[in-house]
Amino acid sequence: MTDLLSKFDPIIAQRESLLQTGLTDPFNLVMERVESPTVAICNGKRTILLGTYNYMGMTFDPDVVAAGKQALEEFGSGTTGSRVLNGTYSGHRAVEQALKDFYAMDHAMVFSTGYQANLGVISTIAGKEDYIVLDIDSHASIYDGCALGNAQIVPFRHNDIEALEKRLKRIPEGAGKLVVLEGVYSMLGDVAPLKEMVRISKENGAMVLVDEAHSMGFIGEHGRGVAEAQGIIDDVDFIIGTFSKSVGTVGGFCVSNHPKFEILRLVCRPYVFTASLPPSVVATAATSIRKLMDSADKRAHLWENSKRLHAGLRQLGFTLGTDEPQSAIIAVIMPDLEKGAAMWEALLNEGLYVNLARPPATPAGMTLLRCSLCALHTEDQVGEILGMFTAAGRATGCIN
Ligand SMILES: Cc1ncc(COP(=O)(O)O)c(C=O)c1O
């Protein structure tokens, strides 16, 4: 018998050699208690959370929690069925209406996760004779959406406008083309030049899908994302998003103005062949989305947090993923996995949780300490965070 799991031997060996040094497993942390969007108890210790996607701090919002409780009481714990059979409750319609209002768009379709939204929409709209042109640093769910469909995949260099144009011009005349972009790229926290990219895509006859997972709620005047901030949201054919970040629960969606959009509900397999979200989840999502429409003050405070942390870390001598803060994600570049894991543990011992990210999730083989800020981090907490980076950085030799 061939052991089918032996293909993972190299990664098992790398993990074991890291843990043999006595290091805490960075991919096995337990949140023993979560006190708020910014503080949890980990290993019995108060820990500031700087590695969640809770950008707008909605997880403990009293209205959101109350809506979830009420739906749980009134509709039960789950739907036990697909959206196209018994799994569409009034709450699913209500959250789709909240999304249509939030984006000012005609159509909204809710999936069980953002991963499934990408999987479903990309694999369904780009078929056998079509081409998908995508940024090489695209999220795994975008790549998996491509793999599930039958289209030709054409990657281009990250955020490179000329490379996108060159690839588009090489595609045979008349072929169906879908350009897939992200608003904010989650590893380095950098923003895409959507304005130019969408213009070039349209000039070359392509439809455009933008994943705004890390920008919804925060970027743009109404929190609609980078496409809104760059003034081209009406030129984007499909926006993908998630409830697992700013919205503060779980779920995914696609919004669009395309007149034939609703047919996707019947032909999109990751929508049809899976159970719908529980009523409590869609109720929390709808309440959260409606509150995010009216959150300009929180957006402004989150920008302040992002700027303060970026400037502070830079001043301490860390190398960051972007020259300027472009989103709520600030990536600290580590020299290698060993140093990154040591720094991650030192921060945890100080009482700070960040994400340790490594290949294949990261671009160019980088090891990153990914910091994601929350609108509810106070100015004092950002100061505390910088103090912890100073202590951990010195203890591990990452800074002087
Ligand atoms: C860009 C992007 N798209 C989609 C997803 C998937 O979202 P979800 O957690 O809802 O599956 C993520 C999650 O990290 C993401 O970063």
Side-chain angles (χ1 to χ4, degrees), residues 53 112-118 138-142 182 184-186 211-214 240-245 249-252 370:
Y53 296 130
S112 298
T113 64
Y115 178 88
Q116 280 165 286
N118 270 329
S138 292
H139 188 258
S141 57
I142 292 174
E182 293 180 35
V184 170
Y185 285 86
S186 65
D211 181 332
E212 295 271 20
H214 293 274
I240 295 285
T242 174
F243 297 160
S244 73
K245 308 195 193 304
T249 177
V250 67
R370 239 158 25 115

Side-chain angles (χ1 to χ4, degrees), residues 306-373:
S306 179
K307 286 177 196 160
R308 259 191 105 221
L309 185 66
H310 190 283
L313 288 173
R314 208 165 191 198
Q315 208 167 17
L316 287 173
F318 289 102
T319 308
L320 305 183
T322 55
D323 290 343
E324 301 294 327
Q326 296 185 17
S327 67
I329 301 165
I330 312 280
V332 182
I333 301 173
M334 291 284 112
D336 52 46
L337 181 60
E338 285 68 28
K339 212 44 156 192
M343 180 71 186
W344 178 86
E345 187 178 48
L347 285 171
L348 192 65
N349 290 338
E350 288 290 323
L352 183 65
Y353 173 74
V354 298
N355 287 153
L356 178 65
R358 59 165 194 187
T362 53
M366 281 191 253
T367 298
L368 303 173
L369 292 178
R370 239 158 25 115
C371 307
S372 26
L373 286 146

Side-chain angles (χ1 to χ4, degrees), residues 5 17 42 47 70 95 130 181 228 332 351 379:
L5 270 63
S17 78
C42 305
T47 304
Q70 192 183 339
V95 75
D130 304 324
L181 306 166
E228 181 190 30
V332 182
E379 207 178 317

